[in-house]
Amino acid sequence: MKRIINFFFFISIYLIIDLILTQFVLFNFFYKKLEKQYAADLESRVTNQYYKYTFKKKVSFKSNYQGYNYNISTNNLGFRDYKIRDLNKHKTYSIIIGDSFAEGVGIEFEDTLTGQLNELIKLQRNNYEFLTAGVASYSTYIYQKKIIHILENNQWLNVDKIIL
C-alpha cells in the first residue's frame, strides 16, 4: 500500500513540476520567439471595417510561412505588389482576388500568379497591369465586399476585369 501511495505522490509531484515548467517557463520562451518571428505580419496584416482584414498600405515587410521568410510590399490600395508604390491612374488594371494562392503565401512576388502574368504582359502591353487583391483566408463574401469597396472608393482606378 505504501508503494502505491509513494507512486501517486511521485506522479503528482512530477505533473505539478511539468505544469509549472510548461506554463510559466517554456510557454513564455516559445511564445516570445513566435511573437518576434511573426511581428511584421502582426503589424502589417490589419483589420478593415468593410471587409475584415487586409495589408497596410505602402509598407514593406518580411513575412514567414513554415519557416520560409519572404518579402511583401504593398501599394496605395493595400494590395501586394512588387514594390511600395502609388498606382498609375493612366494605366488599365485587372484585379486578381482570392485567398492564399492569389496572395502568393510563401513565395516572392515575382513568382506569384500576378507577378508571372505581369512579366508576360509587359512585353505586349505597356499600359496594362494585373493587381493582387487576395489575402490569405479570404472567402467569396470578402472578395465581393473588398472589390465593391475598392471600386467605389477609388474612382480614378481604371479596372477592366476582376479575376477570381
Side-chain angles (χ1 to χ4, degrees):
M1 184 71 173
K2 190 172 180 178
R3 285 181 124 191
I4 293 173
I5 292 172
N6 285 341
F7 175 76
F8 281 113
F9 179 74
F10 174 77
I11 294 296
S12 299
I13 296 296
Y14 177 79
L15 291 175
I16 290 170
I17 291 171
D18 182 56
L19 177 71
I20 290 169
L21 284 174
T22 56
Q23 291 300 313
F24 301 112
V25 178
L26 296 177
F27 179 77
N28 281 338
F29 173 75
F30 288 117
Y31 181 74
K32 294 291 183 196
K33 184 178 177 184
L34 285 174
E35 191 175 76
K36 186 177 178 183
Q37 182 178 359
Y38 293 104
D41 276 310
L42 295 172
E43 293 171 7
S44 301
R45 294 177 186 264
V46 296
T47 58
N48 181 285
Q49 68 184 31
Y50 302 105
Y51 47 89
K52 300 278 186 192
Y53 48 90
T54 190
F55 291 117
K56 270 187 183 177
K57 296 176 181 179
K58 295 175 75 171
V59 297
S60 184
F61 64 97
K62 286 211 178 288
S63 189
N64 184 296
Y65 179 71
Q66 295 186 348
Y68 176 73
N69 290 319
Y70 60 102
N71 298 306
I72 292 183
S73 297
T74 62
N75 58 36
N76 59 317
L77 295 178
F79 294 174
R80 185 171 180 196
D81 215 326
Y82 66 95
K83 68 177 184 175
I84 297 173
R85 67 180 176 134
D86 289 323
L87 296 175
N88 185 341
K89 65 182 177 181
H90 302 293
K91 275 191 171 184
T92 301
Y93 298 98
S94 284
I95 296 177
I96 298 174
I97 190 160
D99 56 8
S100 56
F101 177 78
E103 176 190 326
V105 171
I107 57 177
E108 297 296 336
F109 183 80
E110 305 81 47
D111 299 323
T112 65
L113 174 65
T114 305
Q116 294 291 309
L117 289 171
N118 283 334
E119 189 64 30
L120 291 171
I121 200 77
K122 79 178 182 183
L123 301 172
Q124 300 168 6
R125 293 175 67 183
N126 200 16
N127 203 24
Y128 190 86
E129 195 173 342
F130 291 92
L131 299 174
T132 300
V135 177
S137 298
Y138 268 10
S139 68
T140 52
Y141 177 74
I142 296 174
Y143 303 158
Q144 179 185 18
K145 298 279 285 182
K146 185 172 187 174
I147 292 298
I148 289 170
H149 179 77
I150 292 294
L151 294 178
E152 286 178 352
N153 292 289
N154 298 285
Q155 297 294 321
W156 58 269
L157 187 63
N158 185 13
V159 175
D160 72 340
K161 290 180 184 82
I162 308 288
I163 302 168
L164 176 64

